[in-house]
Amino acid sequence: MTTHLRDEQGPFFGEFGGRFMPESLIAALDEISAAYEEAKADPTFAAELAELHRTYTGRPSIITEAPRFGEHAGGARIILKREDLNHTGSHKINNVLGQALLARRIGKTRLIAETGAGQHGVATATAAALFGMKCVVYMGEVDTERQALNVARMRLLGAEVIPVTTGTRTLKDALNEAFRDWVANVEDTHYLLGTVAGPHPFPVMVRDFHKVIGEEAREQVLELTGALPDAVVACVGGGSNAIGIFHAFLDDPDVKLYGYEAAGDGIDTLRHAATITMGRPGVLHGSRSIMLQDSDGQTLDSHSISAGLDYPGVGPEHAWLSSIGRAEYLPITDAQAMSAFRLLCQTEGIIPAIESAHALAGAIDLGRELGPDATILVSLSGRGDKDVETAGRYFGVLDEQALVAGTREQNALDSNELIDGAVEVDELDRDLAQGMGTER
Amino acid sequence: MSEATSELRATSPVGSVIQAANATRAGALIGYLPVGFPNLQQSIDAAVALVENGVDVLELGLPYSDPVMDGPVIQKATQSALESGFHLSDAFTAVEAIRARVDAPILLMTYYNPVLQYGIERFATDLVSAGGAGLITPDLTVDSGAEWISASERTGLDRVFLTAPTSTDERLKLAIENSRGFVYVVSTMGVTGARNDVDAAARTLVDRLRANGLETDGSSGACVGIGISTPDQVAEVLAYADGAIVGSALVRALSEDGVAGVARVARSLATGTTR
């Protein structure tokens, strides 16, 4: 590979990216672009961020080998990059601290954010508390219901959480509402966008704040194994953890990159969020990328059991990496993700976020394909504390659910022992899929 | 290409109407309604009623799933239109039907993605065929709009770009040079919706546009939108601007009192255009 894929700085990645935004926000976008360029050239900014990461985030995050999980993934060597161990429980804090520092540099005193699963909202509320800033988080009403614990966390941290009741009442509508707030309050407010989508400079800037994930992991895997991994895998909603872990490997042509999108009930149904797999190019939330849309260009509803992946768009750099064949994007259903979720819990004692479980499910498939000689680096982007209720209900292990247990719960409890074979995992998938079917 | 479209228009139909309104009255009244709300036929009837009651230029909004510039009233209306099955092709049907009944120029107000998916050139061609005058593009600025600018050059369609209180002089010049019909003056930093006071920022912005070369010469002109809902506000804005744009107040009237209601509100707003 002669080109340096790591050098892309936007606003465009190939035909993707750009800035399709109301004029009212252009000045703010220019301001943040200029501030970011200035900060990049200022060693004190990098030093300040690095110090925060060392003393507050808990960086570098470790890597953990997952051999018992790997037995179910064709015996491949599975290495987890533990972003779940960061303060606030996910990779989101990397970007949040970077942007919050930047916001403070340009004199903004109020942070607003959109959130899906609540992880980005929690991280933003955390940074606002740390820096003494006001914080408002927009969250789709549907998501406030399925991630109630994170709503409480944000409120405990002093943030105001506003449930968004327009449109599909999920992540995409939370972005719309955050943009509307920003248009009205741009003078004192920074919109701390939480993923690698949106108008320039967000896709580049958010990527840069997350690329530490891959830079650390690349060194750590080299040190552990003496070689680069054969593949790097991550879940993709907007795609921030994925671009964060991919970026350091973009110019390592022998390292395959896989992004796993949420296929919900399946890509043959209308209930999924597999944007790159099923979408086509269009403009959403300020950039040209790939999106789920109807023939009129209206954004389609997405679905995923994971609120953080339930987004009908994707960051433009991913659309580009897909279009040039550098990274491959594949769908993982709710049932596959939940099966991988439980497998990691029970083989390694790690409860992953349901988002990250999509990457784990992908690693299972990929490991079986590549075999025992392969090393697969998995982005464990977040921890599953926030998902305990969802997963508990899914598997029927919540006490209150057990009281009204139907066949599904009983089945799930019966099979609640260690699963020790690929075939059994597949059977579990089917049981779970059927179980979910009867519930709806 | 037909003869009508091959000849580029130095003065646009919208610009001419605005110029004439400024010659005979305090300025032009521009009325916004979404296509397909409460249904296609009533949105057509309501638009006709606007013109019959003193609206000079129609701005027809195309319902879109992710309208970041719109406030609650318009969002609610456009979402309802989408839920009742609005399709892009309805826009051309509406333009044609309205033009057959009243003689006012019609601009479509549309977010970019629907146009992009329809095909920019095809959209421009079909809009000309339907008798439309051009587009207002809330999420497409001049620096991102090369394809639309080229399509409008080919077809002679008007293109209205937005300016905001936060726009730099350089960006105001860009909007002035590239707009045809008028330049949209976003009165306040916020989304659409009625407000008690139209921001003083609007007057400042119009002054800045004039200082940067904007004239009411039939090809441009400054029309102020966002927050205007009463005849007094129309009069106040027309004291310094070439046109006043009203949206949410009309949408609310249509939603609460139907076509007769929106006609009443338009007639009342039009009293603000007298001199």
Side-chain angles (χ1 to χ4, degrees):
Chain A
M1 218 174 279
T2 53
T3 54
H4 295 282
L5 300 178
R6 293 200 72 190
D7 293 343
E8 293 297 323
Q9 296 300 325
F12 280 92
F13 305 89
E15 63 174 300
F16 303 107
R19 191 188 267 179
F20 299 89
M21 273 278 116
E23 174 67 19
S24 302
L25 286 174
I26 300 293
L29 293 168
D30 280 344
E31 182 185 31
I32 197 79
S33 292
Y36 179 54
E37 289 307 314
E38 218 174 90
K40 267 202 295 193
D42 178 358
T44 63
F45 180 81
E48 198 175 359
L49 184 55
E51 181 63 8
L52 264 180
H53 279 331
R54 194 179 65 80
T55 62
Y56 192 72
T57 310
R59 300 213 75 89
S61 66
I62 59 171
I63 55 169
T64 299
E65 283 218 52
R68 279 164 45 77
F69 180 86
E71 285 171 22
H72 302 271
R77 188 170 186 182
I78 302 290
I79 299 171
L80 308 174
K81 177 61 173 168
R82 301 293 305 279
E83 292 298 299
D84 62 317
L85 296 180
N86 294 341
H87 180 43
T88 72
S90 80
H91 71 291
K92 293 291 187 188
I93 191 82
N94 301 326
N95 163 53
V96 163
L97 289 177
Q99 283 196 52
L101 274 180
L102 206 55
R104 194 171 67 177
R105 249 174 112 92
I106 55 177
K108 308 282 183 181
T109 56
R110 178 173 176 266
L111 299 178
I112 58 171
E114 85 294 343
T115 198
Q119 293 302 90
H120 175 60
V122 166
T124 305
T126 299
L130 180 66
F131 291 165
M133 293 174 166
K134 274 182 261 169
C135 183
V136 172
V137 178
Y138 292 95
M139 189 168 185
E141 195 180 38
V142 171
D143 296 332
T144 61
E145 286 158 12
R146 61 180 161 179
Q147 302 285 343
L149 200 57
N150 267 345
V151 174
R153 285 170 81 194
M154 289 181 268
R155 288 180 175 150
L156 289 172
L157 290 161
E160 184 186 354
V161 179
I162 301 184
V164 175
T165 56
T166 53
T168 55
R169 299 180 295 133
T170 58
L171 180 55
K172 84 172 180 71
D173 307 288
L175 269 116
N176 293 337
E177 214 49 44
F179 277 123
R180 290 183 190 116
D181 179 317
W182 203 24
V183 170
N185 299 295
V186 69
E187 206 158 302
D188 68 343
T189 298
H190 174 64
Y191 176 16
L192 211 160
L193 211 154
T195 190
V196 288
H200 181 73
F202 286 110
V204 169
M205 183 170 66
V206 176
R207 174 203 71 195
D208 286 353
F209 287 137
H210 280 307
K211 68 185 181 187
V212 64
I213 304 171
E215 287 168 353
E216 286 175 5
R218 193 174 181 279
E219 289 309 308
Q220 289 165 324
V221 171
L222 269 175
E223 195 181 332
L224 178 72
T225 69
L228 290 174
D230 297 288
V232 179
V233 308
C235 65
V236 178
S240 64
N241 90 89
I243 210 76
I245 201 163
F246 286 176
H247 196 256
F249 298 94
L250 287 182
D251 293 318
D252 296 319
D254 294 337
V255 179
K256 292 192 165 69
L257 306 175
Y258 293 93
Y260 293 102
E261 303 190 302
D265 290 352
I267 54 171
D268 52 344
T269 73
L270 289 173
R271 290 170 55 81
H272 64 78
T275 303
I276 294 180
T277 308
M278 300 302 286
R280 57 176 210 280
V283 167
L284 175 65
H285 293 140
S287 59
R288 186 181 165 92
S289 186
I290 296 175
M291 53 181 287
L292 299 175
Q293 56 185 323
D294 70 13
S295 57
D296 274 357
Q298 308 286 355
T299 312
L300 289 174
D301 293 359
S302 55
H303 167 80
S304 168
I305 190 169
S306 134
L309 303 182
D310 196 350
Y311 181 59
V314 69
E317 193 166 4
H318 286 296
W320 173 66
L321 290 173
S322 169
S323 73
I324 62 173
R326 178 62 189 95
E328 198 174 334
Y329 297 84
L330 299 166
I332 294 291
T333 62
D334 286 354
Q336 284 176 286
M338 292 312 287
S339 171
F341 175 97
R342 185 156 76 168
L343 188 63
L344 191 75
C345 292
Q346 298 187 0
T347 57
E348 301 290 346
I350 298 171
I351 301 178
I354 296 176
E355 288 78 15
S356 317
H358 287 71
L360 292 163
I364 293 172
D365 288 350
L366 187 63
R368 288 176 190 168
E369 186 189 317
L370 299 179
D373 295 334
T375 300
I376 300 173
L377 172 65
V378 181
S379 175
L380 197 66
S381 56
R383 60 176 174 246
D385 305 33
K386 70 184 173 62
D387 295 317
V388 166
E389 196 184 330
T390 303
R393 191 168 291 142
Y394 187 93
F395 293 116
V397 296
L398 272 187
D399 277 354
E400 70 214 32
Q401 293 299 308
L403 293 175
V404 291
T407 326
R408 174 174 68 86
E409 284 83 3
Q410 202 51 53
N411 285 346
L413 282 171
D414 289 347
S415 57
N416 196 15
E417 62 214 47
L418 187 69
I419 6 171
D420 60 358
V423 177
E424 287 182 43
V425 172
D426 284 340
E427 282 170 0
L428 179 66
D429 283 348
R430 263 197 306 281
D431 289 349
L432 291 170
Q434 283 160 8
M436 289 303 280
T438 56
E439 194 192 36
R440 290 201 182 99
Chain B
M1 228 185 292
S2 73
E3 256 178 56
T5 60
S6 64
E7 216 171 283
L8 290 187
R9 287 177 267 181
T11 54
S12 76
V14 170
S16 306
V17 167
I18 291 170
Q19 196 177 21
N22 278 276
T24 56
R25 290 176 281 133
L29 179 62
I30 297 158
Y32 166 96
L33 285 175
V35 178
F37 176 78
N39 55 53
L40 182 59
Q41 189 53 49
Q42 282 187 56
S43 69
I44 292 168
D45 294 342
V48 169
L50 290 191
V51 178
E52 289 172 344
N53 287 279
V55 165
D56 299 295
V57 176
L58 286 172
E59 176 185 342
L60 292 188
L62 303 195
Y64 175 56
S65 52
D66 296 274
V68 292
M69 268 304 281
D70 287 314
V73 172
I74 292 178
Q75 274 185 57
K76 201 174 159 200
T78 54
Q79 199 167 325
S80 141
L82 286 171
E83 280 160 11
S84 336
F86 166 82
H87 279 292
L88 265 192
S89 53
D90 295 344
F92 305 114
T93 308
V95 169
E96 207 164 348
I98 297 163
R99 293 283 295 164
R101 289 165 62 184
V102 286
D103 183 28
I106 303 173
L107 293 164
L108 297 183
M109 204 279 331
T110 178
Y111 291 89
Y112 189 44
N113 197 51
V115 178
L116 193 63
Q117 299 306 322
Y118 195 88
I120 298 169
E121 292 292 343
R122 179 176 159 229
F123 195 97
T125 301
D126 288 1
L127 183 55
V128 170
S129 304
L135 295 185
I136 300 173
T137 52
D139 63 348
L140 188 70
T141 52
V142 173
D143 38 347
S144 297
E147 288 170 90
W148 158 233
I149 290 173
S150 143
S152 59
E153 282 303 302
R154 175 179 70 79
T155 52
L157 285 169
D158 282 344
R159 44 175 191 258
V160 174
F161 289 106
L162 276 61
T163 56
T166 49
S167 304
T168 59
D169 281 354
E170 190 189 342
R171 295 190 63 81
L172 293 186
K173 286 199 180 88
L174 210 56
I176 293 166
E177 281 160 19
N178 288 281
S179 291
R180 189 167 51 212
F182 62 88
V183 173
Y184 197 118
V185 178
V186 175
S187 69
T188 188
M189 296 303 290
V191 296
T192 59
R195 285 172 178 77
N196 289 332
D197 298 301
V198 176
D199 209 313
R203 182 189 292 266
T204 310
L205 181 52
V206 172
D207 289 346
R208 288 179 58 215
L209 281 164
R210 301 222 192 275
N212 280 286
L214 184 81
E215 288 174 38
T216 312
D217 62 355
S219 67
S220 41
C223 296
V224 176
I226 300 195
I228 303 174
S229 62
T230 67
D232 285 350
Q233 287 173 333
V234 170
E236 182 195 324
V237 161
L238 292 183
Y240 56 87
D242 304 310
I245 307 167
V246 182
S248 297
L250 294 170
V251 176
R252 180 176 287 124
L254 177 59
S255 115
E256 287 170 2
D257 302 312
V259 174
V262 83
R264 246 188 335 267
V265 171
R267 193 155 59 241
S268 158
L269 288 165
T271 62
T273 69
T274 55
R275 189 153 51 190

Coordinates of all heavy atoms in Angstrom, one line a residue, chain A residues 389-440:
Chain A
E389 N -30.2 -4.9 33.1 CA -31.6 -5.1 33.1 C -32.1 -5.7 31.8 O -32.9 -6.6 31.7 CB -32.3 -3.8 33.4 CG -33.7 -4.0 33.8 CD -34.5 -2.6 33.9 OE1 -33.8 -1.6 34.3 OE2 -35.7 -2.6 33.7
T390 N -31.6 -5.1 30.7 CA -31.9 -5.6 29.3 C -31.6 -7.1 29.2 O -32.4 -7.9 28.7 CB -31.2 -4.8 28.2 OG1 -31.6 -3.4 28.4 CG2 -31.7 -5.2 26.8
A391 N -30.3 -7.4 29.5 CA -29.8 -8.7 29.4 C -30.5 -9.7 30.4 O -30.9 -10.8 30.0 CB -28.3 -8.8 29.6
G392 N -30.8 -9.2 31.6 CA -31.4 -10.0 32.6 C -32.8 -10.4 32.1 O -33.3 -11.5 32.3
R393 N -33.5 -9.4 31.5 CA -34.8 -9.7 31.0 C -34.7 -10.6 29.8 O -35.5 -11.6 29.6 CB -35.5 -8.4 30.6 CG -37.0 -8.5 30.3 CD -37.6 -7.1 30.2 NE -37.7 -6.5 31.5 CZ -37.5 -5.2 31.7 NH1 -37.2 -4.4 30.7 NH2 -37.6 -4.6 32.9
Y394 N -33.8 -10.4 28.9 CA -33.6 -11.2 27.7 C -33.4 -12.7 28.1 O -34.0 -13.6 27.4 CB -32.4 -10.7 26.9 CG -32.2 -11.3 25.5 CD1 -32.8 -10.7 24.4 CD2 -31.5 -12.4 25.4 CE1 -32.6 -11.3 23.2 CE2 -31.3 -13.0 24.1 CZ -31.8 -12.4 23.0 OH -31.7 -13.0 21.8
F395 N -32.5 -12.9 29.1 CA -32.2 -14.2 29.4 C -33.1 -14.8 30.6 O -32.9 -15.9 31.0 CB -30.7 -14.3 29.9 CG -29.8 -14.1 28.7 CD1 -28.9 -13.0 28.7 CD2 -29.7 -15.0 27.7 CE1 -28.0 -12.8 27.7 CE2 -28.9 -14.8 26.6 CZ -28.0 -13.7 26.6
G396 N -34.0 -13.9 31.0 CA -34.9 -14.4 32.1 C -34.3 -14.6 33.4 O -34.7 -15.5 34.1
V397 N -33.3 -13.8 33.8 CA -32.7 -14.0 35.1 C -32.9 -12.9 36.0 O -32.3 -12.8 37.1 CB -31.1 -14.2 34.9 CG1 -30.9 -15.5 34.1 CG2 -30.5 -13.0 34.2
L398 N -33.8 -12.0 35.7 CA -34.3 -11.0 36.6 C -35.3 -11.6 37.5 O -36.2 -12.2 37.1 CB -34.9 -9.8 35.9 CG -34.0 -8.6 35.4 CD1 -34.8 -7.5 34.9 CD2 -33.0 -8.2 36.5
D399 N -35.2 -11.4 38.8 CA -36.1 -12.0 39.8 C -37.6 -11.7 39.5 O -38.4 -12.6 39.4 CB -35.8 -11.6 41.2 CG -34.6 -12.4 41.8 OD1 -34.2 -13.4 41.1 OD2 -34.2 -12.1 42.9
E400 N -37.8 -10.4 39.2 CA -39.2 -10.0 39.0 C -39.8 -10.7 37.7 O -40.9 -11.0 37.6 CB -39.4 -8.5 38.9 CG -38.8 -7.9 37.7 CD -38.1 -6.6 37.9 OE1 -37.6 -6.3 39.0 OE2 -38.1 -5.8 37.0
Q401 N -38.9 -10.9 36.8 CA -39.3 -11.6 35.6 C -39.5 -13.0 35.9 O -40.4 -13.6 35.3 CB -38.2 -11.4 34.5 CG -38.0 -10.0 34.0 CD -39.2 -9.5 33.4 OE1 -39.8 -10.1 32.5 NE2 -39.7 -8.3 33.8
A402 N -38.7 -13.6 36.7 CA -38.8 -15.0 37.0 C -40.2 -15.3 37.6 O -40.8 -16.4 37.4 CB -37.8 -15.5 38.0
L403 N -40.8 -14.3 38.3 CA -42.1 -14.5 38.9 C -43.2 -14.8 37.8 O -44.1 -15.5 38.0 CB -42.5 -13.3 39.7 CG -41.7 -13.1 41.0 CD1 -42.1 -11.7 41.6 CD2 -41.8 -14.2 42.0
V404 N -43.0 -14.1 36.7 CA -44.0 -14.3 35.6 C -43.3 -15.1 34.5 O -43.7 -15.0 33.3 CB -44.5 -12.9 35.1 CG1 -45.3 -12.3 36.1 CG2 -43.3 -12.1 34.7
A405 N -42.4 -16.0 34.9 CA -41.6 -16.7 33.8 C -42.5 -17.5 32.9 O -43.4 -18.2 33.3 CB -40.6 -17.6 34.5
G406 N -42.2 -17.3 31.6 CA -42.9 -18.2 30.6 C -41.9 -19.2 30.2 O -40.8 -19.4 30.8
T407 N -42.1 -19.8 29.1 CA -41.3 -20.9 28.6 C -39.9 -20.3 28.3 O -38.9 -21.0 28.6 CB -41.9 -21.4 27.3 OG1 -43.3 -21.4 27.4 CG2 -41.4 -22.8 27.1
R408 N -39.9 -19.1 27.7 CA -38.6 -18.6 27.3 C -37.6 -18.5 28.5 O -36.5 -18.9 28.5 CB -38.8 -17.2 26.7 CG -37.5 -16.5 26.4 CD -37.8 -15.2 25.6 NE -38.5 -14.2 26.5 CZ -37.8 -13.4 27.3 NH1 -36.5 -13.4 27.3 NH2 -38.5 -12.5 28.0
E409 N -38.1 -17.9 29.6 CA -37.3 -17.7 30.8 C -36.8 -19.0 31.3 O -35.6 -19.2 31.6 CB -38.1 -16.9 31.8 CG -38.2 -15.4 31.6 CD -39.4 -15.1 30.7 OE1 -40.1 -16.1 30.3 OE2 -39.5 -13.9 30.4
Q410 N -37.7 -20.0 31.3 CA -37.4 -21.3 31.9 C -36.3 -21.9 31.0 O -35.3 -22.4 31.5 CB -38.6 -22.2 32.0 CG -38.5 -23.3 32.9 CD -38.0 -22.8 34.3 OE1 -38.6 -21.9 34.9 NE2 -36.9 -23.4 34.8
N411 N -36.5 -21.8 29.7 CA -35.5 -22.4 28.8 C -34.1 -21.7 29.1 O -33.1 -22.4 29.1 CB -35.9 -22.2 27.4 CG -37.0 -23.1 26.9 OD1 -37.3 -24.1 27.7 ND2 -37.6 -22.8 25.8
A412 N -34.1 -20.4 29.2 CA -32.9 -19.7 29.3 C -32.2 -20.1 30.6 O -31.0 -20.3 30.7 CB -33.1 -18.2 29.3
L413 N -33.0 -20.2 31.7 CA -32.4 -20.6 33.0 C -31.8 -22.0 32.9 O -30.8 -22.3 33.4 CB -33.5 -20.5 34.1 CG -33.8 -19.1 34.6 CD1 -35.1 -19.2 35.5 CD2 -32.7 -18.6 35.3
D414 N -32.6 -22.9 32.2 CA -32.1 -24.3 32.1 C -30.8 -24.3 31.4 O -29.9 -25.2 31.7 CB -33.1 -25.1 31.3 CG -34.4 -25.4 32.2 OD1 -34.3 -25.1 33.4 OD2 -35.4 -25.8 31.6
S415 N -30.6 -23.5 30.5 CA -29.3 -23.5 29.7 C -28.3 -22.6 30.3 O -27.3 -22.2 29.6 CB -29.6 -23.2 28.2 OG -30.2 -22.0 28.1
N416 N -28.5 -22.2 31.5 CA -27.6 -21.2 32.1 C -26.3 -21.7 32.6 O -25.7 -21.2 33.6 CB -28.4 -20.4 33.2 CG -27.7 -19.1 33.6 OD1 -26.9 -18.6 32.9 ND2 -28.1 -18.6 34.8
E417 N -25.9 -22.8 32.1 CA -24.6 -23.4 32.5 C -23.6 -23.1 31.4 O -24.0 -22.6 30.3 CB -24.8 -24.9 32.6 CG -25.2 -25.6 31.4 CD -26.1 -26.8 31.7 OE1 -27.0 -26.6 32.5 OE2 -25.8 -27.9 31.1
L418 N -22.4 -23.4 31.7 CA -21.3 -23.0 30.7 C -21.6 -23.7 29.4 O -21.8 -24.9 29.3 CB -20.0 -23.4 31.3 CG -18.8 -23.0 30.5 CD1 -18.7 -21.4 30.5 CD2 -17.5 -23.6 31.0
I419 N -21.5 -22.9 28.3 CA -21.7 -23.5 27.0 C -20.3 -23.9 26.5 O -19.4 -23.1 26.6 CB -22.3 -22.5 26.1 CG1 -22.5 -21.2 26.8 CG2 -23.7 -23.0 25.6 CD1 -22.9 -20.1 26.0
D420 N -20.2 -25.1 26.0 CA -18.8 -25.5 25.7 C -18.6 -26.0 24.3 O -17.8 -26.8 24.0 CB -18.3 -26.5 26.7 CG -19.2 -27.8 26.7 OD1 -20.2 -27.8 25.9 OD2 -18.9 -28.7 27.5
G421 N -19.4 -25.6 23.4 CA -19.2 -26.0 22.0 C -19.8 -25.1 21.0 O -20.8 -24.5 21.3
A422 N -19.2 -25.0 19.9 CA -19.7 -24.2 18.8 C -21.2 -24.5 18.5 O -22.0 -23.7 18.3 CB -18.8 -24.3 17.6
V423 N -21.4 -25.8 18.3 CA -22.7 -26.2 17.9 C -23.8 -25.8 19.0 O -24.8 -25.3 18.6 CB -22.7 -27.8 17.8 CG1 -24.1 -28.3 17.5 CG2 -21.8 -28.2 16.7
E424 N -23.4 -25.9 20.2 CA -24.4 -25.6 21.3 C -24.7 -24.1 21.2 O -25.8 -23.6 21.5 CB -23.8 -26.0 22.7 CG -23.9 -27.4 22.9 CD -23.5 -27.8 24.2 OE1 -23.8 -27.2 25.2 OE2 -22.7 -28.8 24.4
V425 N -23.6 -23.3 20.9 CA -23.8 -21.9 20.8 C -24.9 -21.6 19.7 O -25.8 -20.8 19.9 CB -22.5 -21.1 20.5 CG1 -22.8 -19.6 20.3 CG2 -21.6 -21.3 21.7
D426 N -24.7 -22.3 18.6 CA -25.7 -22.1 17.6 C -27.1 -22.4 18.0 O -28.1 -21.7 17.7 CB -25.3 -22.9 16.3 CG -24.1 -22.3 15.6 OD1 -23.9 -21.1 15.8 OD2 -23.5 -23.0 14.9
E427 N -27.2 -23.5 18.7 CA -28.5 -23.9 19.2 C -29.1 -22.9 20.1 O -30.3 -22.6 20.1 CB -28.4 -25.3 19.9 CG -28.3 -26.4 19.0 CD -28.0 -27.7 19.7 OE1 -27.9 -27.7 20.9 OE2 -27.9 -28.7 19.0
L428 N -28.2 -22.3 20.9 CA -28.7 -21.3 21.9 C -29.2 -20.1 21.1 O -30.3 -19.6 21.4 CB -27.5 -20.9 22.7 CG -27.7 -19.8 23.8 CD1 -28.7 -20.3 24.8 CD2 -26.4 -19.3 24.4
D429 N -28.5 -19.7 20.0 CA -28.9 -18.6 19.2 C -30.4 -18.9 18.7 O -31.2 -18.0 18.8 CB -28.1 -18.5 17.9 CG -26.7 -17.9 18.3 OD1 -26.6 -17.3 19.4 OD2 -25.9 -17.9 17.4
R430 N -30.6 -20.1 18.3 CA -31.9 -20.4 17.7 C -33.0 -20.3 18.8 O -34.0 -19.7 18.6 CB -31.9 -21.8 17.1 CG -31.7 -21.7 15.6 CD -32.2 -23.1 14.9 NE -31.5 -24.2 15.5 CZ -30.3 -24.6 15.3 NH1 -29.5 -23.9 14.4 NH2 -29.8 -25.7 15.9
D431 N -32.7 -20.9 20.0 CA -33.6 -20.8 21.1 C -34.0 -19.4 21.4 O -35.1 -19.0 21.6 CB -33.0 -21.5 22.3 CG -32.9 -23.0 22.2 OD1 -33.5 -23.5 21.2 OD2 -32.3 -23.6 23.0
L432 N -32.9 -18.6 21.5 CA -33.1 -17.2 21.9 C -33.9 -16.4 20.8 O -34.8 -15.7 21.2 CB -31.7 -16.5 22.1 CG -31.0 -17.0 23.3 CD1 -29.6 -16.5 23.3 CD2 -31.7 -16.6 24.6
A433 N -33.6 -16.7 19.6 CA -34.3 -16.0 18.5 C -35.8 -16.4 18.6 O -36.6 -15.5 18.5 CB -33.7 -16.4 17.1
Q434 N -36.1 -17.6 18.8 CA -37.5 -18.0 18.9 C -38.1 -17.4 20.1 O -39.3 -17.0 20.1 CB -37.6 -19.6 19.0 CG -37.4 -20.2 17.6 CD -37.0 -21.7 17.7 OE1 -37.0 -22.3 18.8 NE2 -36.6 -22.3 16.6
G435 N -37.4 -17.4 21.2 CA -37.9 -16.8 22.4 C -38.3 -15.4 22.2 O -39.4 -14.9 22.6
M436 N -37.4 -14.6 21.6 CA -37.7 -13.2 21.3 C -38.9 -13.1 20.4 O -39.7 -12.2 20.5 CB -36.5 -12.5 20.6 CG -35.3 -12.3 21.6 SD -35.7 -11.4 23.0 CE -35.7 -9.7 22.3
G437 N -39.0 -14.1 19.5 CA -40.1 -14.0 18.6 C -41.5 -14.1 19.3 O -42.4 -13.4 19.0
T438 N -41.5 -15.0 20.3 CA -42.8 -15.2 20.9 C -43.1 -14.0 21.8 O -44.3 -13.7 22.1 CB -42.8 -16.4 21.9 OG1 -41.7 -16.3 22.8 CG2 -42.7 -17.7 21.1
E439 N -42.1 -13.2 22.2 CA -42.4 -12.1 23.1 C -43.0 -10.9 22.3 O -43.8 -10.2 22.9 CB -41.0 -11.7 23.7 CG -41.3 -10.7 24.9 CD -40.0 -10.0 25.3 OE1 -39.2 -9.7 24.5 OE2 -39.9 -9.8 26.5
R440 N -42.6 -10.8 21.0 CA -43.1 -9.6 20.3 C -44.5 -9.8 19.8 O -44.8 -10.8 19.3 CB -42.1 -9.3 19.2 CG -40.8 -8.8 19.8 CD -40.0 -8.1 18.8 NE -38.8 -7.7 19.4 CZ -37.6 -8.3 19.2 NH1 -37.6 -9.3 18.4 NH2 -36.6 -7.9 19.8

